[in-house]
Amino acid sequence: MKPIDQVTVTFTSHSANEGFARACAACFAAQLDPTLDELADIKTAVSEAVTNAIVHAYPDRLGKISMRLRLFEGGVIEIQVKDSGVGIPDVDQARTPLYTTGGEDRSGMGFTIMESFTDGLRVRSQPDKGTIVTMRKRLVPRAGGPK
């Protein structure tokens, strides 16, 4: 399926850029006329994906994170967060609730949260090559809004 619109942004893994990524995703999704709850879901999922990249992909250095946002017919937004960091040796284990490699201050709920706030989550990773997290969410069409 071909997207009807898309944008890619690349930023450094500074923790402050998590807020930038949330705002960017929210602004892009606004053209679908989302409800406040839908917008909050998108921002939460993006926050978790970008925070994972900042904390886990580049634990001891700064790196690049790219976020690709695509819109599809039927009100579907796809969000892809990609890094070139350390990668995840065992994706299934990493997706287990409460599992973390980030120390005591991390909850280990990032992938669980992403999954619960979207309609689909795919995680691909290779050690020493990076991780790609792809999330999809279908927004409910509103009366008078874009189709």
Side-chain angles (χ1 to χ4, degrees):
M1 187 165 34
K2 185 176 177 184
I4 57 176
D5 198 4
Q6 66 181 4
V7 66
T8 301
V9 294
T10 303
F11 48 92
T12 307
S13 62
H14 288 288
S15 61
N17 283 332
E18 178 267 333
F20 166 75
R22 286 171 54 100
C24 188
C27 288
F28 187 75
Q31 62 188 299
L32 293 178
D33 194 25
T35 65
L36 290 177
D37 286 341
E38 290 170 332
L39 208 50
D41 289 354
I42 290 166
K43 290 166 65 177
T44 299
V46 166
S47 179
E48 291 297 328
V50 170
T51 297
N52 269 5
I54 291 168
V55 171
H56 300 290
Y58 305 108
D60 55 1
R61 66 181 172 94
L62 291 176
K64 297 288 184 200
I65 299 170
S66 65
M67 181 173 68
R68 183 180 71 184
L69 304 160
R70 300 193 308 170
L71 299 180
F72 295 92
E73 299 222 3
V76 174
I77 185 168
E78 181 183 85
I79 304 152
Q80 184 182 82
V81 176
K82 180 180 179 179
D83 66 68
S84 299
V86 300
I88 303 170
D90 185 338
V91 171
D92 290 334
Q93 182 181 37
R95 289 183 69 164
T96 303
L98 304 179
Y99 176 82
T100 184
T101 60
E104 290 180 15
D105 60 333
R106 311 310 308 173
S107 71
M109 295 297 290
F111 287 127
T112 302
I113 291 169
M114 285 179 243
E115 197 165 34
S116 67
F117 283 92
T118 62
D119 299 319
L121 172 68
R122 186 173 74 234
V123 181
R124 296 184 324 212
S125 190
Q126 291 185 340
D128 300 319
K129 295 196 187 255
T131 301
I132 301 171
V133 174
T134 306
M135 303 170 283
R136 281 186 163 230
K137 182 162 183 73
R138 180 178 305 279
L139 306 183
V140 177
R142 295 171 55 189
K147 303 292 183 236

